Amino acid sequence: ITELPREVHKKGDHGDKGAPVFDARPLLSAALQGHDIGLVSEAGMPAVADPGSSIVRAAHDLGIAVMPLVGPVSLLLALAASGMNGQNFAFVGYLPQSGPERAQRMKELESIALKTGQTQVFIETPYRNAALWQALTQTLQTNTRLAMAAGLTLETSQIHSQPVKQWRQKAAPVDNRTPTVFLIGRYAQADHRATRPIRKSKTPGYRTGNRGFVFEKNSAGNVASEMAITASDYRNCGAAMAVAAFAAP
């Protein structure tokens, strides 16, 4: 096991922040000798939320096959669960630690989100979560949507998405222990004139509207009945369709 140098962890391995581009080729000697090697991160996705892109670049340059492995990525899980724009988003890493620089960066990201509709996604070292949250609620405009997703995939996970004006009236939902993803986006308010009210379905377990289903306590049999297919067919079509489940209040 070989750990990336401390400077790579502190300044990244893209050659920005005044750091020289890290030469990762020596770390791939085993792969050049015919061995399989892996790039593993303690928590974040390597080469995205954590360093590692220098190793991937070096592998490509040396003609070594690169194969990403399937697994949960908190950034996409948080984005999907935030209700914000998932077709246009940017992961911007960490915000500056300095108060004035951090506030300026928040305003820049907010401006992009409000003007273009692009969701801004970022993270923070857990022990600074509370300080970041306080700065966000104090700096952002009241109608900007702010979301947090903490402890994803755990039973204790929290995912909340509300306009800043509502967050200012509540206690901070973050702590200084749990890895958390933060998101900024437009506050898109539904036009109720264009949508029929959700009505109660004849099939017990969920309600229907003119856009789809809001599941409360569903089962394969209930859903299959409404869709006029057998429960077996419904279970077998999971690869071709995705259903979002929502816990009943």
Side-chain angles (χ1 to χ4, degrees), residues 61-218:
D61 293 343
L62 294 171
I64 300 172
V66 176
M67 181 179 297
L69 301 180
V70 176
V73 179
S74 62
L75 303 177
L76 292 181
L77 295 178
L79 178 63
S82 70
M84 298 185 192
N85 191 346
Q87 273 70 60
N88 184 10
F89 64 93
F91 171 58
V92 298
Y94 294 84
L95 303 191
Q97 296 182 29
S98 168
E101 293 180 7
R102 183 175 56 192
Q104 179 180 356
R105 182 60 171 153
M106 288 177 182
K107 293 178 180 178
E108 291 173 352
L109 298 177
E110 180 182 44
S111 177
I112 295 173
L114 298 181
K115 289 180 179 179
T116 69
Q118 182 184 75
T119 303
Q120 304 298 306
V121 187
F122 47 96
I123 55 178
E124 180 56 283
T125 302
Y127 70 83
R128 289 196 290 262
N129 281 344
L132 175 62
W133 186 262
Q134 182 180 16
L136 286 167
T137 56
Q138 291 177 348
T139 304
L140 300 178
Q141 299 178 33
T142 56
N143 282 332
T144 296
R145 182 171 286 276
L146 173 62
M148 56 76 65
L152 292 168
T153 73
L154 302 178
E155 291 184 359
T156 56
S157 66
Q158 289 191 72
I159 305 171
H160 303 289
S161 179
Q162 296 179 353
V164 171
K165 61 184 176 183
Q166 293 185 20
W167 283 126
R168 290 179 179 176
Q169 302 172 8
K170 301 179 179 180
V174 299
D175 58 46
N176 285 340
R177 301 180 305 275
T178 309
T180 304
V181 180
F182 302 88
L183 307 94
I184 295 175
R186 281 177 177 169
Y187 176 46
Q189 191 170 14
D191 185 356
H192 299 290
R193 296 170 300 177
T195 306
R196 290 183 300 158
I198 292 178
R199 59 183 172 78
K200 202 70 176 177
S201 169
K202 294 181 180 179
T203 303
Y206 60 89
R207 297 167 289 159
T208 66
N210 64 338
R211 295 285 197 267
F213 303 101
V214 179
F215 295 96
E216 292 174 335
K217 295 179 180 179
N218 61 306

